[in-house]
Amino acid sequence: MIRKNFSKNIDWATVFIYLLLVLIGWISIYSSVHDETHQSVFDFGHRYGKQMVWIIAAFLLALVSISVDTRFFYVFSYLFYALSILLLIAVLFLGIEVNSSKSWFNLGFFQIQPSEFAKLSTSLVLARFLSTHGDKINNNRNLLKMGGLIFLPIILILLQPDVGSATVFLAFFLALFREGLSPKIILAMFMALGLFVLALLLDELILILIILAGGALAYWALSRSTKSLITALLIFGGILVSLWVANDLLSLQIKTEYLLLIAAGISALPFTAVSLLYRLKYIIPVLLITGGAILYTQSVDYIFDNVLQPHHQTRINTILGIESDPLGEGYNINQSKIAIGSGGLTGKGFLQGTQTRFNFVPEQSTDFIFCTIGEEWGFLGSSFIIILFVIFLLRILYLAERQRSVFSRVFGYSLLSVIFYHFAINIGMTIGIVPVVGLPLPFVSYGGSSLWSYTLILFIFLKMDAGRTTVMK
Amino acid sequence: MELYSERKYIIGAVIIITALVFLAKLFSLQIMDPSYKLSASSNALRHVTQYPSRGLIYDRNMELIVSNKPSYDIMVTPNQLSDFDTTEFCNILDISREYLEKKLAEAKDYSRFRSSAFLKQVSAETYAVLQEKLYKFPGFYVQPRTLRNYHRDIAAHVLGYVGEIDERSLNNDNEYSMGDYIGVTGIERSYEKELKGEKGVNVLMVDVHGQTKGPYQEGRYDVSPTVGSDLVTTIDANLQEYGEKLMENKTGSIVAIEPATGEILSMVSTPTYDPSLLVGRERSANYRKLDTDTLNPLFNRAIMANYPPGSAFKIMNGLVGLHENIVSPDNQLYCPGSYTVGSLTIRCRHHKSPVNIVEAIQYSCNTYFSDLYRKILDHPQYGSVTNGFNVWRDHVTSFGLGDRLNSDFPNEQRGDVPETSYFDRFYGENRWRSLQVVSLGVGQGELSATPLQMANMTAAIANRGYYYTPHIVKEIKNGDSISEDFTSKNHTTIDSTWFEYIIEGMEGVVNGPEGGTGRMAEMQSITICGKTGTVQNPHGENHSVFVAFAPKEDPRIAITVYVENAGYGATWAAPIASLMIEKYMTGEVNRHWLENHILNADFINQ
Ligand SMILES: [Zn+2]
């Protein structure tokens, strides 16, 4: 009875797209490591053989996750979250080191990445949290709690260090946005990202000038008083000139950047006084935000030099065009673009790709699997994949919206956010428009850990969807 | 409806816009840009590495000593092979059929799709013949490279050599790939970063027959190689060559330093070898020969041999004695011909007696320096022998002895100035007295130093109290300036006033009216100050040592000569040092009788 009900309610369209993506992935992996001397599809010495095992295991996981009652995940969501945090801590000590980061547990026959499990548990815990506090999402306490839930795994994963996987958790803000998170917070995050890029690109002096000008402009936009702006600029200019003269006469040799900062700091005092005196409430926020922006950009260089690993620095530098390194990271992106470009409209055909197979493209069965598709199946094939992902994501969106409980809707949006983030970053890096951060293409790329975690999240959600009529708070 | 429900449209739009951006980019990559497509006939790309030329190496007078010569590797890509005339192919390359079969099997084993080296370092002539007929041999292509070209057969140890990168370095540094050359020893190794340059790549279109169809996309993805930086060394090529000539048939080392800069004027280690032996196809065979030679020609004695300094070390102990006010320059000591305490006897040679410190150096009096050394260690002002020993040791190490100088040579040895803990282990803590270590006073015992360290000590004395860290590279063309460690003074702990007495003694060694131990080094035109040494060698004839600098005022050269198994320092090392000084300061050598005396000496084949 239950089984029958179940197969009626499950969203077969999603399952069908899922199966299609997994199949395309396996074919591409087969093609990317194919060599005429190796024949058997189940050759465990080869990635397509192993991937076949991962796929079969993923199907079993899918069956298990749709037979578990949804309440189970609701009730134990905090426990799962705590468990995954413990695993993230444990992997720092017990994990094996691959490419100089400790992200994996070695379980003998296979290896497992606790950050993948953390994606599932964070999705659950956010869904659980919002199902009770959803109506007060922009309340400071709740913001702080959700921020903590998201940033705790990020920090632990950064310690491994695995910057790529850590950034995935930022995608949860998309789900929070759907639940009513203030667009100001999203805007602030984008501004922080923009300033990060500018801080690396621009000269310190120009950057400070831009931020100060931005502050002045914001003041003018809010106050609409050209007269007071000119007065403020005159005060600032006067202080700057006297500092300049003092610096020159006393030959203190203070850098121009610092003179600007000192002048800005000194002139902030009378502005604050005026603001308090005349009760102009927009001056202090403008001053605070301007000051914060300067502090932030000053610390970016420090973070960049001391926290990020050299290969991440190179990747960011290459994308921003600061560093030209055609035989290093840039070379990978170039090779990837050549491979995709050489596919033309219809591609070279199955097993006919030359660029992706012979190691011109690095990591061609994991992070750069899209190259193989682009080269062998051409524009038709690559746009098919993209359209397939769009249909898949929009379908999840549709399913999430039709949920009657906040818990399952947030969980659906978390699934959507994570898959969308991977899709955007992976294909973006393969075609050279975002930095190479080493994230797989969901369901398609080689690798058991990621396939299992997306399968789990997807089928847990499909189970929720199948039972959506039994209303649950 | 629900409050934020309309936001689903924003999220949907974000997804669709992202996809549209991707589709547009893919459309431009795959459809719009015809240059990304390969024509039907050229269905593969070949990435041909463009190897940069290594930086050139000059001597201090801008004479070119190392450059590059072209060389060609024949590469093979197994899956592009088709039937070809193997007999003709073997004839052109002058290889056997077995070699062909073996190498093809190896290449297939490595990878069927990636190219690997089939035959390395083919001559320009063979290359010219092959190039014309290459169309008959699909799957093969020629990879141009460069090899080192030595203009003079000198300074093999200083220059070092270049070899193929080994597995370990390959894993540690992803800038290199299999088959790349890397500096293994000498300057080639310590300045690898400056010399190597940056590799480039040419992306070529190749048709089904393995024929090149020209650059891919008019070379848009090509990267030109960047040549390495040229180096100007501190070596004087003529002096280096002369030193190697003098040291022929002798085992040992010469190191000459310009005291005012720390620049190494010449560094000889013999037996040596022709650097061009380690280039080209004979490289590994020659290397094996050199490596198994019992005289160890690959060993750079100048920086790697730890010799006891012998009596040359007395000048060091003299400086410590004066600085610590243990003796004054006027103090005289009676020498009965040996230093005897209890059962211990250190013999001395016959000389005028009594002697002050200047004369003690001139005659190399063992009695004086044994006595002085014990007085230093036992002086009540330090409280204990251990403290006295540490005071002495601090002075000695301030001359760069007992630890690596951190010159720009790889594999520099530390030498040895023992620490008190060594004697504590040996005799027990506070159980040893000055008598047990008295041989350090005459430069024997547990002391050892490399010729480079001894030359540096001599340079510090020539400078009256400071030295610049010895180095072998003066200038990096189009690159950074040399390390600041080489351009800043290292001060010793001895007051500059005390050097005059020691230098006066050293002048007496060479030019003394009677009984100087280094008279064979005397020159009429230049005042050489020196000190002889004889290192007791338990395995055979003693080693001959001489340290010297010249001229006495404003010294231009400080030098150390070690000749193994040659007997007294006075007889062999002193004249060699003197000839080197003459050669460097006057540009030629006029004392032909002395020169022939040295050239005819043979301590290896006798
Ligand atoms: Zn004596």
Side-chain angles (χ1 to χ4, degrees):
Chain A
M1 257 314 270
I2 294 167
R3 192 159 289 244
K4 207 168 179 189
N5 240 341
F6 178 76
S7 64
K8 213 164 51 181
N9 289 334
I10 199 107
D11 188 60
W12 286 105
T14 312
V15 176
F16 177 73
I17 301 175
Y18 163 79
L19 291 174
L20 201 56
L21 285 170
V22 170
L23 178 69
I24 292 171
W26 185 83
I27 290 174
S28 307
I29 293 161
Y30 180 81
S31 180
S32 71
V33 296
H34 167 77
D35 187 326
E36 50 261 56
T37 50
H38 306 286
Q39 296 296 339
S40 169
V41 165
F42 288 98
D43 185 346
F44 288 160
H46 279 79
R47 290 194 155 183
Y48 48 82
K50 284 188 190 155
Q51 184 73 2
M52 188 58 97
V53 177
W54 307 149
I55 289 172
I56 292 167
F59 290 169
L60 291 175
L61 271 178
L63 280 178
V64 171
S65 44
I66 44 177
S67 47
V68 175
D69 191 325
T70 305
R71 288 204 69 85
F72 172 77
F73 295 107
Y74 179 83
V75 170
F76 292 110
S77 52
Y78 281 103
L79 188 73
F80 280 144
Y81 183 77
L83 201 66
S84 65
I85 294 298
L86 281 177
L87 285 175
L88 283 176
I89 294 168
V91 81
L92 295 176
F93 301 100
L94 307 172
I96 51 164
E97 206 166 303
V98 179
N99 292 332
S100 75
S101 52
K102 277 190 163 185
S103 323
W104 299 81
F105 282 120
N106 193 353
L107 300 180
F109 176 64
F110 60 95
Q111 294 163 358
I112 194 156
Q113 223 176 343
S115 60
E116 293 293 347
F117 183 58
K119 286 174 199 166
L120 168 62
S121 65
T122 310
S123 305
L124 286 172
V125 86
L126 282 175
R128 170 79 187 264
F129 184 84
L130 284 167
S131 69
T132 44
H133 303 86
D135 45 340
K136 293 187 192 92
I137 186 168
N138 287 317
N139 164 316
N140 282 342
R141 260 175 74 132
N142 289 340
L143 282 178
L144 212 64
K145 282 181 184 164
M146 287 185 300
L149 290 174
I150 294 175
F151 277 99
L152 184 60
I154 290 186
I155 289 163
L156 289 171
I157 295 169
L158 281 177
L159 288 175
Q160 295 178 352
D162 180 355
V163 177
S165 296
T167 59
V168 174
F169 289 77
L170 293 176
F172 288 123
F173 281 95
L174 191 69
L176 298 187
F177 172 72
R178 163 62 185 86
E179 293 307 309
L181 183 72
S182 165
K184 282 181 201 158
I185 292 173
I186 307 277
L187 196 70
M189 284 172 65
F190 274 107
M191 266 181 61
L193 184 70
L195 279 175
F196 184 87
V197 172
L198 284 178
L200 295 178
L201 272 182
L202 296 179
D203 190 61
E204 210 184 349
L205 178 63
I206 297 171
L207 187 66
I208 291 172
L209 280 173
I210 289 179
I211 295 172
L212 290 179
L217 212 68
Y219 170 74
W220 181 78
L222 290 168
S223 71
R224 295 274 162 193
S225 158
T226 315
K227 215 173 94 184
S228 65
L229 178 69
I230 291 172
T231 319
L233 285 178
L234 281 177
I235 294 171
F236 173 72
I239 294 169
L240 183 64
V241 168
S242 21
L243 279 174
W244 194 296
V245 172
N247 183 38
D248 202 50
L249 285 180
L250 303 173
S251 53
L252 295 172
Q253 296 181 324
I254 300 172
K255 286 203 285 183
T256 317
E257 291 93 290
Y258 296 123
L259 286 182
L260 268 173
L261 289 182
I262 296 168
I266 296 175
S267 33
L269 296 174
F271 296 165
T272 316
V274 167
S275 146
L276 292 174
L277 214 62
Y278 297 95
R279 297 170 186 245
L280 300 172
K281 58 181 175 181
Y282 39 80
I283 291 186
I284 288 179
V286 166
L287 284 176
L288 282 178
I289 290 173
T290 313
I294 287 174
L295 264 177
Y296 171 73
T297 52
Q298 293 293 311
S299 58
V300 160
D301 276 329
Y302 176 83
I303 292 170
F304 188 77
D305 292 336
N306 296 289
V307 179
L308 291 185
Q309 288 190 297
H311 63 272
H312 286 121
Q313 294 172 2
T314 318
R315 282 166 187 173
I316 293 171
N317 281 340
T318 308
I319 281 286
L320 297 179
I322 297 170
E323 194 173 295
S324 160
D325 176 26
L327 285 181
E329 298 292 345
Y331 176 81
N332 293 350
I333 298 168
N334 265 349
Q335 291 314 308
S336 161
K337 280 158 79 180
I338 291 180
I340 293 173
S342 69
L345 178 65
T346 54
K348 296 173 186 167
F350 182 51
L351 299 185
Q352 299 306 308
T354 53
Q355 297 308 299
T356 46
R357 259 199 288 156
F358 313 138
N359 296 331
F360 292 136
V361 177
E363 302 290 327
Q364 63 265 45
S365 57
T366 53
D367 298 348
F368 282 91
I369 192 73
F370 192 68
C371 279
T372 309
I373 294 164
E375 187 186 12
E376 297 194 343
W377 304 104
F379 180 68
L380 293 180
S382 51
S383 24
F384 177 71
I385 294 287
I386 289 184
I387 291 165
L388 207 55
F389 264 104
V390 170
I391 296 172
F392 182 78
L393 290 167
L394 293 180
R395 183 78 196 167
I396 304 273
L397 183 106
Y398 167 76
L399 296 185
E401 284 294 339
R402 76 178 182 186
Q403 299 307 307
R404 294 191 198 166
S405 79
V406 178
F407 177 71
S408 44
R409 183 177 67 218
V410 175
F411 188 76
Y413 267 102
S414 297
L415 165 70
L416 171 95
S417 307
V418 170
I419 302 276
F420 172 67
Y421 184 81
H422 274 84
F423 161 76
I425 297 294
N426 179 278
I427 294 186
M429 78 180 184
T430 317
I431 59 182
I433 50 183
V434 294
V436 179
V437 286
L439 290 176
L441 189 58
F443 311 122
V444 180
S445 286
Y446 170 78
S449 237
S450 59
L451 176 63
W452 294 345
S453 89
Y454 309 131
T455 303
L456 262 178
I457 305 178
L458 175 63
F459 281 87
I460 289 172
F461 177 63
L462 289 181
K463 168 77 178 199
M464 289 176 185
D465 179 60
R468 68 187 178 280
T469 41
T470 41
V471 182
M472 180 182 82
K473 169 83 176 149
Chain B
M1 259 306 277
E2 206 240 329
L3 191 54
Y4 298 106
S5 175
E6 83 285 357
R7 286 194 177 176
K8 68 183 177 212
Y9 297 113
I10 300 178
I11 294 173
V14 167
I15 294 171
I16 290 169
I17 289 168
T18 308
L20 286 178
V21 169
F22 287 173
L23 287 175
K25 178 76 182 180
L26 283 167
F27 190 74
S28 99
L29 276 176
Q30 298 185 295
I31 310 283
M32 291 305 285
D33 197 337
S35 56
Y36 275 102
K37 274 181 304 227
L38 296 163
S39 65
S41 64
S42 56
N43 57 4
L45 294 183
R46 176 185 292 158
H47 297 245
V48 180
T49 308
Q50 300 291 297
Y51 289 97
S53 330
R54 257 180 114 72
L56 308 177
I57 302 179
Y58 296 92
D59 91 333
R60 64 188 292 113
N61 303 313
M62 290 309 287
E63 184 189 331
L64 184 60
I65 40 182
V66 186
S67 64
N68 302 295
K69 59 186 178 196
S71 137
Y72 306 91
D73 287 358
I74 314 291
M75 308 294 286
V76 64
T77 318
N79 76 321
Q80 290 173 6
L81 286 171
S82 57
D83 289 338
F84 62 98
D85 185 344
T86 49
T87 317
E88 189 187 8
F89 188 70
C90 290
N91 285 343
I92 295 174
L93 292 177
D94 191 23
I95 52 173
S96 65
R97 188 169 295 273
E98 290 76 52
Y99 182 89
L100 175 82
E101 279 160 12
K102 192 182 111 216
K103 281 308 234 184
L104 285 185
E106 273 177 26
K108 273 178 197 154
D109 223 34
Y110 167 64
S111 165
R112 295 172 52 79
F113 306 103
R114 305 181 79 180
S115 54
S116 55
F118 172 78
L119 182 63
K120 286 181 183 168
Q121 297 166 7
V122 173
S123 70
E125 296 75 33
T126 312
Y127 166 66
V129 178
L130 182 69
Q131 185 66 9
E132 273 173 30
K133 302 195 172 159
L134 207 55
Y135 69 94
K136 291 185 185 173
F137 310 115
F140 290 97
Y141 72 98
V142 177
Q143 168 78 66
R145 311 209 45 176
T146 60
L147 293 177
R148 276 314 208 187
N149 184 27
Y150 295 93
H151 293 241
R152 289 174 79 160
D153 165 17
I154 54 166
H157 295 110
V158 172
L159 299 170
Y161 59 89
V162 173
E164 266 184 36
I165 189 163
D166 60 21
E167 198 103 6
R168 211 185 56 210
S169 323
L170 201 57
N171 294 336
N172 289 338
D173 196 335
N174 46 23
E175 245 187 277
Y176 295 92
S177 27
M178 190 102 113
D180 281 3
Y181 293 132
I182 187 169
V184 181
T185 59
I187 295 177
E188 298 279 17
R189 169 151 162 207
S190 43
Y191 288 90
E192 166 69 16
K193 207 161 79 63
E194 286 77 13
L195 288 168
K196 74 174 167 59
E198 299 292 339
K199 279 188 283 189
V201 69
N202 279 0
V203 185
L204 303 174
M205 292 186 292
V206 178
D207 68 12
V208 284
H209 308 293
Q211 291 300 298
T212 306
K213 292 285 161 200
Y216 177 60
Q217 288 190 44
E218 286 100 46
R220 195 203 298 188
Y221 289 103
D222 293 0
V223 180
S224 319
T226 316
V227 296
S229 304
D230 298 345
L231 296 182
V232 181
T233 62
T234 59
I235 290 287
D236 180 318
N238 293 328
L239 185 68
Q240 178 76 20
E241 184 179 58
Y242 188 65
E244 289 182 14
K245 198 169 111 190
L246 293 176
M247 290 295 286
E248 253 170 46
N249 297 320
K250 301 165 192 73
T251 307
S253 173
I254 304 176
V255 177
I257 294 177
E258 183 175 70
T261 57
E263 291 173 4
I264 298 171
L265 300 169
S266 85
M267 178 181 273
V268 177
S269 169
T270 53
T272 181
Y273 59 93
D274 180 350
S276 42
L277 286 177
L278 294 184
V279 176
R281 286 164 78 176
E282 297 302 308
R283 186 180 165 271
S284 18
N286 288 333
Y287 182 84
R288 250 192 314 279
K289 248 185 262 171
L290 290 169
D291 197 36
T292 51
D293 191 321
T294 51
L295 293 172
N296 215 348
L298 291 173
F299 184 64
N300 184 359
R301 290 172 166 76
I303 53 165
M304 297 171 78
N306 288 316
Y307 297 110
S311 299
F313 197 70
K314 286 172 184 164
I315 53 182
M316 186 70 244
N317 284 339
L319 286 169
V320 177
L322 289 171
H323 181 89
E324 290 290 317
N325 292 316
I326 308 294
V327 287
S328 85
D330 319 318
N331 284 155
Q332 293 209 320
L333 187 81
Y334 176 72
C335 173
S338 70
Y339 181 75
T340 310
V341 178
S343 62
L344 175 101
T345 301
I346 299 175
R347 295 171 59 79
C348 196
R349 51 200 284 276
H350 270 295
H351 58 79
K352 171 191 157 224
S353 181
V355 289
N356 62 19
I357 193 159
V358 173
E359 292 160 327
I361 287 172
Q362 179 176 341
Y363 306 130
S364 198
C365 179
N366 285 339
T367 309
Y368 188 94
F369 284 101
S370 302
D371 180 69
L372 171 62
Y373 190 63
R374 291 194 63 198
K375 278 183 185 151
I376 297 173
L377 264 50
D378 291 335
H379 201 283
Q381 67 188 339
Y382 308 127
S384 74
V385 174
T386 303
N387 292 347
F389 187 92
N390 281 331
V391 168
W392 169 79
R393 191 178 187 279
D394 288 345
H395 285 304
V396 172
T397 52
S398 79
F399 283 74
L401 297 167
D403 203 353
R404 286 183 197 93
L405 285 165
N406 293 321
S407 71
D408 43 0
F409 274 100
N411 305 326
E412 205 189 300
Q413 290 296 302
R414 334 167 58 99
D416 190 17
V417 179
E419 289 181 54
T420 51
S421 57
Y422 173 83
F423 298 109
D424 288 344
R425 266 201 310 277
F426 201 80
Y427 298 106
E429 212 166 312
N430 297 320
R431 300 281 302 276
W432 49 284
R433 301 283 168 261
S434 62
L435 188 63
Q436 273 123 321
V437 297
V438 69
S439 57
L440 298 177
V442 294
Q444 305 285 359
E446 291 79 3
L447 277 175
S448 67
T450 64
L452 180 70
Q453 285 175 322
M454 288 301 283
N456 181 60
M457 179 195 86
T458 315
I461 292 171
N463 286 335
R464 279 78 169 164
Y466 65 87
Y467 68 90
Y468 290 94
T469 303
H471 52 280
I472 199 74
V473 168
K474 258 172 101 104
E475 190 188 343
I476 302 158
K477 293 271 181 194
N478 316 316
D480 299 335
S481 43
I482 58 167
S483 162
E484 264 179 44
D485 298 341
F486 301 145
T487 52
S488 48
K489 273 185 195 177
N490 300 294
H491 287 278
T492 67
T493 49
I494 305 287
D495 276 352
S496 60
T497 46
W498 303 116
F499 286 88
E500 288 315 322
Y501 301 98
I502 300 301
I503 289 171
E504 200 185 321
M506 291 172 76
E507 184 184 358
V509 168
V510 181
N511 309 288
E514 44 151 336
T517 52
R519 292 297 304 275
M520 278 186 81
E522 186 176 4
M523 273 183 75
Q524 295 305 320
S525 51
I526 302 162
T527 312
I528 298 177
C529 302
K531 180 71 196 81
T532 54
T534 305
V535 178
Q536 286 164 12
N537 174 15
H539 310 293
E541 197 69 43
N542 289 342
H543 303 326
S544 174
V545 190
F546 195 68
V547 301
F549 66 87
K552 187 182 172 193
E553 303 303 331
D554 296 322
R556 288 179 51 206
I557 178 170
I559 190 165
T560 291
V561 178
Y562 271 82
V563 189
E564 291 182 21
N565 314 117
Y568 282 116
T571 337
W572 301 107
I576 290 175
S578 181
L579 288 167
M580 287 290 283
I581 290 170
E582 183 181 4
K583 175 77 177 174
Y584 180 64
M585 301 214 11
T586 68
E588 53 182 0
V589 170
N590 285 317
R591 291 175 291 168
H592 297 295
W593 61 271
L594 189 65
E595 193 176 37
N596 285 329
H597 167 70
I598 298 297
L599 291 177
N600 293 331
D602 185 341
F603 300 112
I604 291 179
N605 307 304
Q606 61 190 185

